[in-house]
Amino acid sequence: MASTAENPSVTGSFLPSLVPAIRALANLLRVSQVPGAIIGGVAASLQGQARTTEDVDVLVRLDENALDRFLEMAKAEGFRPRIPDAIPFARRSAVLLLEHEASRVGVDLTISRMAFDSDAIDRARPVAIGDLRFSVVAPEDLIIMKAVAHRPQDLQDIHAVTRANPRLDVRRVRTHVQEFARALDKPEIWADIAPLLKSRVRRKPTMRKAKSRKKK
């Protein structure tokens, strides 16, 4: 999985039922050498506010020509496909649908097909839950993904993530969300989240304030 200099430790008390699946997933990505990062509800709980979620979503940089081999490795780590035509479906939709057999937890692997996705994997942050280590997308990239998805729960997650991360790179969020809004012809993608980010913009001091500080 992707790594950064930081290694924050968090409590996993809000997702005990998901830990076995996340552990198996972390092992799968390690042995297969496929870079990836947790997204979705688990990421929202870790980067914002803990909430109920019943599955695990992960973004992966996976060679689609190697899907058959990857699925065999997934089976060795305790996963099984959730649908009979999992590989053809993954090639059509860029989503490989798996289930962790021991815990019955669904795991959706979204295959990176855009430069933004690949960049999000590289920017992911390592997280620790006890002895379990895995990567989670940065809060800015999670906000961008959820702005595009734009369901009621996504907007709630964005609100929680912005409140929990006062040092957000708002410029990155604005640039990418506005690009997606134009590409999809959905201006509401940006318009609906702009108010949530407004208070997070770090403004430079005015000339008058700067002089006042020097005098002090």
Side-chain angles (χ1 to χ4, degrees):
M1 280 180 149
S3 62
T4 67
E6 297 181 36
N7 189 17
S9 180
V10 298
T11 175
S13 60
F14 62 89
L15 67 156
S17 63
L18 303 183
V19 168
I22 295 174
R23 186 182 300 277
L25 175 63
N27 288 337
L28 171 60
L29 298 185
R30 178 178 54 80
V31 299
S32 65
Q33 297 185 330
V34 170
I38 297 283
I39 57 176
V42 173
S45 292
L46 293 168
Q47 301 283 25
Q49 182 176 356
R51 69 169 177 83
T52 301
T53 182
E54 297 180 351
D55 53 16
V56 179
D57 298 294
V58 61
L59 179 65
V60 293
R61 190 157 57 227
L62 173 62
D63 181 357
E64 294 182 47
N65 293 319
L67 273 169
D68 293 276
R69 180 172 177 273
F70 181 81
L71 184 56
E72 289 305 310
M73 298 179 79
K75 290 177 180 177
E77 295 296 332
F79 293 98
R80 68 173 183 85
R82 295 211 309 268
I83 57 175
D85 59 341
I87 290 179
F89 179 83
R91 291 195 172 114
R92 292 194 306 271
S93 66
V95 180
L96 181 61
L97 301 174
L98 301 178
E99 180 181 79
H100 183 239
E101 292 190 88
S103 62
R104 299 290 186 183
V105 169
V107 176
D108 293 0
L109 289 97
T110 298
I111 302 169
S112 166
R113 286 182 174 174
M114 297 186 297
F116 167 77
D117 293 336
S118 184
D119 189 35
I121 292 171
D122 291 336
R123 285 169 37 83
R125 301 176 173 187
V127 167
I129 297 178
D131 65 342
L132 173 59
R133 302 289 187 274
F134 57 96
S135 291
V136 178
V137 288
E140 294 86 356
D141 298 326
L142 181 62
I143 290 172
I144 295 164
M145 294 174 188
K146 286 190 164 290
V148 174
H150 221 71
R151 297 161 299 192
Q153 182 62 65
D154 295 311
L155 297 179
Q156 291 177 31
D157 288 338
I158 290 172
H159 182 68
V161 173
T162 56
R163 291 185 64 183
N165 295 273
R167 297 181 62 81
L168 282 172
D169 183 352
V170 176
R171 178 178 295 180
R172 175 177 176 81
V173 176
R174 180 175 60 244
T175 297
H176 284 285
V177 174
Q178 288 180 341
E179 286 177 357
F180 280 118
R182 286 192 295 268
L184 298 171
D185 194 21
K186 293 183 176 180
E188 68 274 13
I189 288 176
W190 169 247
D192 289 347
I193 74 162
L196 300 177
L197 297 168
K198 203 168 188 180
S199 62
R200 302 297 171 186
V201 178
R202 296 192 292 275
R203 296 180 174 83
K204 294 181 180 179
T206 63
M207 187 65 71
R208 183 176 295 175
K209 288 182 179 179
K211 288 181 179 178
S212 175
R213 287 177 186 172
K214 285 182 181 179
K215 290 179 181 178
K216 292 179 181 178

CSV table of all heavy atoms in Angstrom, one decimal, residues 85-106:
chain,number,residue,atom,x,y,z
A,85,ASP,N,-19.6,-13.5,-12.8
A,85,ASP,CA,-18.7,-12.9,-13.8
A,85,ASP,C,-17.9,-11.7,-13.3
A,85,ASP,O,-17.9,-10.7,-13.9
A,85,ASP,CB,-19.6,-12.5,-15.0
A,85,ASP,CG,-20.7,-11.5,-14.6
A,85,ASP,OD1,-21.0,-11.4,-13.4
A,85,ASP,OD2,-21.2,-10.8,-15.5
A,86,ALA,N,-17.3,-11.9,-12.1
A,86,ALA,CA,-16.6,-10.8,-11.5
A,86,ALA,C,-15.5,-10.2,-12.3
A,86,ALA,O,-15.4,-8.9,-12.3
A,86,ALA,CB,-16.0,-11.3,-10.2
A,87,ILE,N,-14.8,-10.9,-13.1
A,87,ILE,CA,-13.7,-10.4,-13.9
A,87,ILE,C,-14.2,-9.6,-15.1
A,87,ILE,O,-13.8,-8.5,-15.3
A,87,ILE,CB,-12.7,-11.4,-14.3
A,87,ILE,CG1,-11.9,-11.9,-13.0
A,87,ILE,CG2,-11.7,-10.9,-15.3
A,87,ILE,CD1,-10.8,-12.9,-13.2
A,88,PRO,N,-15.1,-10.2,-15.9
A,88,PRO,CA,-15.7,-9.4,-17.0
A,88,PRO,C,-16.4,-8.1,-16.5
A,88,PRO,O,-16.3,-7.1,-17.1
A,88,PRO,CB,-16.7,-10.4,-17.6
A,88,PRO,CG,-16.2,-11.7,-17.3
A,88,PRO,CD,-15.6,-11.6,-15.9
A,89,PHE,N,-17.1,-8.2,-15.3
A,89,PHE,CA,-17.7,-7.0,-14.7
A,89,PHE,C,-16.7,-6.0,-14.4
A,89,PHE,O,-16.9,-4.8,-14.6
A,89,PHE,CB,-18.5,-7.5,-13.5
A,89,PHE,CG,-19.2,-6.3,-12.8
A,89,PHE,CD1,-20.5,-5.8,-13.3
A,89,PHE,CD2,-18.7,-5.7,-11.7
A,89,PHE,CE1,-21.1,-4.8,-12.7
A,89,PHE,CE2,-19.3,-4.6,-11.1
A,89,PHE,CZ,-20.5,-4.1,-11.6
A,90,ALA,N,-15.6,-6.4,-13.8
A,90,ALA,CA,-14.5,-5.5,-13.4
A,90,ALA,C,-13.9,-4.8,-14.6
A,90,ALA,O,-13.6,-3.6,-14.6
A,90,ALA,CB,-13.4,-6.2,-12.6
A,91,ARG,N,-13.8,-5.5,-15.7
A,91,ARG,CA,-13.2,-4.9,-16.9
A,91,ARG,C,-14.2,-3.9,-17.5
A,91,ARG,O,-13.8,-2.9,-18.1
A,91,ARG,CB,-12.9,-6.0,-17.9
A,91,ARG,CG,-11.7,-6.9,-17.5
A,91,ARG,CD,-11.1,-7.7,-18.7
A,91,ARG,NE,-9.9,-8.3,-18.2
A,91,ARG,CZ,-9.7,-9.6,-18.1
A,91,ARG,NH1,-10.7,-10.5,-18.4
A,91,ARG,NH2,-8.6,-10.2,-17.7
A,92,ARG,N,-15.5,-4.1,-17.3
A,92,ARG,CA,-16.5,-3.2,-17.8
A,92,ARG,C,-16.6,-2.0,-16.9
A,92,ARG,O,-16.7,-0.8,-17.4
A,92,ARG,CB,-17.9,-3.8,-18.0
A,92,ARG,CG,-17.9,-4.9,-19.1
A,92,ARG,CD,-19.4,-5.2,-19.4
A,92,ARG,NE,-20.1,-5.6,-18.2
A,92,ARG,CZ,-20.2,-6.9,-17.7
A,92,ARG,NH1,-19.6,-7.9,-18.4
A,92,ARG,NH2,-20.9,-7.2,-16.7
A,93,SER,N,-16.7,-2.2,-15.6
A,93,SER,CA,-17.0,-1.2,-14.7
A,93,SER,C,-15.9,-0.6,-13.8
A,93,SER,O,-16.1,0.4,-13.1
A,93,SER,CB,-18.1,-1.7,-13.7
A,93,SER,OG,-17.5,-2.8,-12.9
A,94,ALA,N,-14.7,-1.3,-13.9
A,94,ALA,CA,-13.5,-0.9,-13.1
A,94,ALA,C,-13.8,-1.1,-11.6
A,94,ALA,O,-13.1,-0.5,-10.8
A,94,ALA,CB,-13.1,0.6,-13.3
A,95,VAL,N,-14.7,-2.1,-11.3
A,95,VAL,CA,-14.9,-2.5,-9.9
A,95,VAL,C,-14.9,-4.0,-9.7
A,95,VAL,O,-15.7,-4.7,-10.4
A,95,VAL,CB,-16.2,-1.9,-9.3
A,95,VAL,CG1,-16.4,-2.3,-7.9
A,95,VAL,CG2,-16.3,-0.4,-9.5
A,96,LEU,N,-14.0,-4.5,-8.9
A,96,LEU,CA,-13.9,-5.9,-8.6
A,96,LEU,C,-14.7,-6.2,-7.3
A,96,LEU,O,-14.3,-5.7,-6.2
A,96,LEU,CB,-12.5,-6.4,-8.5
A,96,LEU,CG,-12.3,-7.9,-8.2
A,96,LEU,CD1,-12.8,-8.7,-9.4
A,96,LEU,CD2,-10.8,-8.2,-8.1
A,97,LEU,N,-15.7,-7.0,-7.4
A,97,LEU,CA,-16.6,-7.2,-6.2
A,97,LEU,C,-16.2,-8.5,-5.5
A,97,LEU,O,-16.3,-9.6,-6.1
A,97,LEU,CB,-18.1,-7.3,-6.7
A,97,LEU,CG,-18.6,-6.1,-7.4
A,97,LEU,CD1,-20.0,-6.3,-7.9
A,97,LEU,CD2,-18.6,-4.9,-6.4
A,98,LEU,N,-15.7,-8.3,-4.3
A,98,LEU,CA,-15.3,-9.5,-3.5
A,98,LEU,C,-16.0,-9.6,-2.2
A,98,LEU,O,-16.6,-8.6,-1.8
A,98,LEU,CB,-13.7,-9.4,-3.2
A,98,LEU,CG,-12.8,-9.3,-4.4
A,98,LEU,CD1,-11.4,-9.2,-3.9
A,98,LEU,CD2,-13.0,-10.6,-5.3
A,99,GLU,N,-15.9,-10.7,-1.5
A,99,GLU,CA,-16.4,-10.9,-0.1
A,99,GLU,C,-15.3,-11.6,0.7
A,99,GLU,O,-14.7,-12.6,0.2
A,99,GLU,CB,-17.7,-11.7,-0.1
A,99,GLU,CG,-18.2,-11.8,1.3
A,99,GLU,CD,-19.5,-12.7,1.3
A,99,GLU,OE1,-19.4,-13.9,1.2
A,99,GLU,OE2,-20.6,-12.0,1.4
A,100,HIS,N,-15.1,-11.1,1.9
A,100,HIS,CA,-14.2,-11.8,2.8
A,100,HIS,C,-15.0,-12.9,3.4
A,100,HIS,O,-16.0,-12.6,4.2
A,100,HIS,CB,-13.7,-10.8,3.9
A,100,HIS,CG,-12.7,-11.4,4.8
A,100,HIS,ND1,-12.9,-11.5,6.2
A,100,HIS,CD2,-11.5,-12.0,4.6
A,100,HIS,CE1,-11.9,-12.1,6.8
A,100,HIS,NE2,-11.0,-12.4,5.8
A,101,GLU,N,-14.7,-14.1,3.1
A,101,GLU,CA,-15.5,-15.3,3.5
A,101,GLU,C,-15.7,-15.4,5.0
A,101,GLU,O,-16.8,-15.7,5.4
A,101,GLU,CB,-14.9,-16.5,2.9
A,101,GLU,CG,-15.0,-16.6,1.3
A,101,GLU,CD,-14.7,-17.9,0.8
A,101,GLU,OE1,-15.6,-18.8,0.7
A,101,GLU,OE2,-13.5,-18.2,0.5
A,102,ALA,N,-14.6,-15.3,5.7
A,102,ALA,CA,-14.7,-15.5,7.2
A,102,ALA,C,-15.6,-14.5,7.9
A,102,ALA,O,-16.4,-14.9,8.8
A,102,ALA,CB,-13.3,-15.5,7.8
A,103,SER,N,-15.6,-13.3,7.5
A,103,SER,CA,-16.4,-12.2,8.1
A,103,SER,C,-17.7,-11.8,7.4
A,103,SER,O,-18.5,-11.1,7.9
A,103,SER,CB,-15.6,-11.0,8.4
A,103,SER,OG,-15.2,-10.4,7.1
A,104,ARG,N,-17.8,-12.3,6.1
A,104,ARG,CA,-19.0,-12.0,5.3
A,104,ARG,C,-19.0,-10.5,4.9
A,104,ARG,O,-20.1,-10.0,4.7
A,104,ARG,CB,-20.3,-12.4,5.9
A,104,ARG,CG,-20.4,-13.9,6.1
A,104,ARG,CD,-20.5,-14.7,4.8
A,104,ARG,NE,-20.8,-16.1,5.0
A,104,ARG,CZ,-20.9,-17.0,4.1
A,104,ARG,NH1,-20.7,-16.6,2.8
A,104,ARG,NH2,-21.1,-18.2,4.3
A,105,VAL,N,-17.9,-9.8,5.0
A,105,VAL,CA,-17.8,-8.4,4.7
A,105,VAL,C,-17.5,-8.2,3.2
A,105,VAL,O,-16.6,-8.8,2.6
A,105,VAL,CB,-16.7,-7.7,5.5
A,105,VAL,CG1,-16.5,-6.3,5.0
A,105,VAL,CG2,-17.1,-7.7,7.0
A,106,GLY,N,-18.3,-7.4,2.5
A,106,GLY,CA,-18.1,-7.1,1.1
A,106,GLY,C,-16.9,-6.1,1.0
A,106,GLY,O,-16.7,-5.2,1.8
